[in-house]
Amino acid sequence: MSSYENGVVMGVDRLRDPVMNKGTAFSSAERSQYRLRGLLPPRVESTEVQVNREMERIRSQSTELDKFVYLQTLLARNQRLFFQVIMPNIVECMPIIYTPVVGTACQQWGHIYQQPRGMYISMEDKGHIYEVLKNYPEDDIRVIVVTDGERILGLGDLGCFGMGIPIGKLLLYNGCGGVNPKHTLPIQLDTGCNTAALRNDPFYFGIDSDRIRGEQYDEFIDEFMEAVQKRFSSSTLIQVCA
């Protein structure tokens, strides 16, 4: 049976889409409309119940890093519920989503990585950055946060493991500033890494090279900036962060 009817995502594919998924909060009418009956427990739950369940799970995690991983998993499963969890609990959740826990998360990024989020653009893409950006499914990107991972929160050169910073910053912009997530894009630029111990980590997934500097680096950054404007808009805000 098709997962689409008149362009509308139906059934299990709707549950698997983190933007469309509402979990047990789908109403009775929605369960009939989207062919969800039998795919969810029968009781329709309120947002309050869902949020309380998630906060109980978050608080039961044994370490702050485990809480970070759990929240990222929730985001990849049910984006709507993620923001419903963090917004009324921002004082408790903000240090987990961003500093100080994001620093530990970046150091362990290859070990806790589960789902792709944002874009990774490396020196291997030099000369083709615009084509790489075209692979991103959203066209109306208004805010980009980008890092090359060289100086992450005073932790040194983390190379490709710096992605936690753009992701974390944008989640705060989404949750606290009301910026629609569909208009934001975290990007990791991989221009190498000078931390040998990190590159020797079996779970390090960046390019295996010392950090590239000088003219090659400048050309790469210039190409990236031009490609962003061509792919999205000259008015797209680009924040560079460490």
Side-chain angles (χ1 to χ4, degrees):
M1 184 176 292
S2 173
S3 298
Y4 294 85
E5 287 185 9
N6 299 318
V8 177
V9 180
M10 308 292 282
V12 70
D13 285 337
R14 196 169 193 88
L15 298 177
R16 289 171 176 166
D17 187 311
V19 177
M20 296 181 182
N21 184 23
K22 294 169 62 176
T24 52
F26 278 109
S27 69
S28 179
E30 288 172 327
R31 294 175 187 217
S32 296
Q33 179 183 357
Y34 300 125
R35 295 207 311 264
L36 298 173
R37 293 200 174 275
L39 302 180
L40 293 165
R43 180 177 297 187
V44 176
E45 291 188 320
S46 67
T47 297
E48 181 182 6
V49 170
Q50 286 186 308
V51 169
N52 288 342
R53 178 186 292 116
E54 298 304 330
M55 289 305 300
E56 180 181 272
R57 288 173 173 170
I58 292 165
R59 289 165 180 158
S60 71
Q61 302 301 310
S62 57
T63 68
E64 296 301 287
L65 182 59
D66 289 338
K67 293 178 182 180
F68 177 93
V69 172
Y70 185 83
L71 278 168
Q72 294 296 317
T73 303
L74 174 60
L75 175 63
R77 169 168 51 90
N78 188 330
Q79 179 177 281
R80 170 181 170 273
L81 181 55
F82 172 86
F83 288 111
Q84 288 172 330
V85 165
I86 69 165
M87 290 174 69
N89 297 287
I90 195 66
V91 173
E92 182 175 352
C93 292
M94 184 165 63
I96 302 169
I97 296 169
Y98 200 53
T99 57
V101 180
V102 74
T104 303
C106 285
Q107 290 176 308
Q108 300 293 322
W109 200 250
H111 296 257
I112 65 174
Y113 179 85
Q114 297 182 58
Q115 303 93 358
R117 186 172 185 83
M119 297 199 77
Y120 291 80
I121 302 175
S122 78
M123 288 296 296
E124 296 175 354
D125 300 311
K126 190 171 181 287
H128 307 281
I129 295 178
Y130 173 69
E131 286 75 14
V132 171
L133 288 172
K134 286 173 66 177
N135 290 335
Y136 196 70
E138 295 289 343
D139 295 325
D140 188 10
I141 296 299
R142 303 176 188 179
V143 183
I144 289 173
V145 176
V146 59
T147 185
D148 68 0
E150 185 172 11
R151 292 183 297 274
I152 298 297
L153 301 175
L155 299 173
D157 189 347
L158 298 184
C160 199
F161 280 7
M163 183 56 133
I165 298 297
I167 290 175
K169 275 186 179 289
L170 285 173
L171 289 177
L172 293 183
Y173 296 165
N174 302 146
C176 300
V179 181
N180 191 321
K182 75 176 292 182
H183 298 314
T184 63
L185 174 59
I187 296 181
Q188 169 74 54
L189 298 179
D190 187 357
T191 59
C193 176
N194 286 343
T195 306
L198 197 62
R199 282 176 30 214
N200 290 332
D201 184 326
F203 298 122
Y204 184 73
F205 42 44
I207 59 175
D208 187 11
S209 166
D210 287 336
R211 188 166 288 278
I212 295 169
R213 304 190 185 279
E215 186 176 349
Q216 267 191 298
Y217 179 85
D218 292 342
E219 290 175 351
F220 178 77
I221 297 300
D222 287 345
E223 181 187 350
F224 168 74
M225 298 297 285
E226 292 172 5
V228 165
Q229 294 183 62
K230 181 179 179 182
R231 170 67 179 91
F232 302 117
S233 168
S234 60
S235 62
T236 297
L237 174 65
I238 304 173
Q239 179 185 4
V240 179
C241 64

